[in-house]
Amino acid sequence: VRFVVGDPGVRNVIVGMATALFGAGIFFILGQPFSRNILGGGNTGFGVLITALGSGVGGGMLVLATIGSRIGRRDLTFAISLILTGAAITLVTTMNSVFAAAGWLFLAGIGAGSSYVMGFTHLHEGVDDEMRGRTFAALYTLARTSLLISIALGGFAAEVLDGILPAPFDNGIRNALAIGGAIVLSAGLVTLWNLRSTLSSPEFSEETYRTLKDASDAFTSVRGQRRSREDKK
């Protein structure tokens, strides 16, 4: 616990993924009634929504697994992916047709798959072997607990929020799903905010610093030799 809390990079990923699962868990419990009662798609419509979401997740994971080695800032990509997921889920709740909602869910899936790949990759690279097992145990424990709580509270939240706001958010299911999307979006924004110091003052590896120092020394040596020749002239 001290390691997770004390390491900003690890803390951002674990808290971000756990919060995202808390928000996304609401869709797991309310997705079917959302399709049936609001979109009028029934069980078939729910199948379309799940297919769109799963296709996006698979596509996002495949793309990131292919080009992930070329991405220098995995933590930044992780934060942006969470923002994409949260924004797309929130926009799903404003739709009135199955296929319109499926399009936004496809984007949400791309963001979710990308954040999954980038988050796990960042933890694997940023945590030493000695702490890696316990770090992932903390991630799994917190993530599953968040998912369980959101599933337990999803139906209750939809019931409480029903009829409170004006149309089109006079439906509790739509309201609860919008809150879930907003939670995921907030997780991405908070993660991005926590990265602001590294964005303005990026950290380089020791090898990069040595390379820059060697280049600086070489440049200084060339300038010194040039001035020496000019003085002789």
Side-chain angles (χ1 to χ4, degrees), residues 22-166:
F22 180 85
I26 298 177
F27 177 80
F28 297 154
I29 194 67
L30 295 179
Q32 190 167 11
F34 176 71
S35 171
R36 182 179 62 250
N37 300 337
I38 297 178
L39 302 181
N43 293 331
T44 302
F46 181 63
V48 173
L49 297 181
I50 290 297
T51 301
L53 179 64
S55 300
V57 170
M61 294 178 67
L62 180 62
V63 171
L64 265 296
T66 303
I67 65 172
S69 59
R70 306 174 189 174
I71 299 177
R73 291 302 304 266
R74 292 178 174 82
D75 50 356
L76 178 60
T77 307
F78 172 75
I80 294 175
S81 299
L82 285 182
I83 293 173
L84 173 62
T85 303
I89 292 177
T90 304
L91 288 171
V92 166
T93 63
T94 65
M95 299 295 106
N96 294 313
S97 69
V98 171
F99 290 102
W104 287 113
L105 275 178
F106 179 76
L107 289 178
I110 291 177
S114 301
S115 63
Y116 182 88
V117 173
M118 288 293 97
F120 272 69
T121 303
H122 183 68
L123 289 181
H124 273 291
E125 291 183 346
V127 179
D128 295 334
D129 294 341
E130 180 183 357
M131 295 297 300
R132 186 173 295 130
R134 282 170 282 181
T135 300
F136 276 95
L139 170 63
Y140 293 143
T141 300
L142 189 58
R144 290 172 180 174
T145 302
S146 299
L147 184 61
L148 178 63
I149 293 174
S150 68
I151 291 176
L153 295 179
F156 175 75
E159 187 71 21
V160 171
L161 296 171
D162 192 47
I164 293 180
L165 300 176

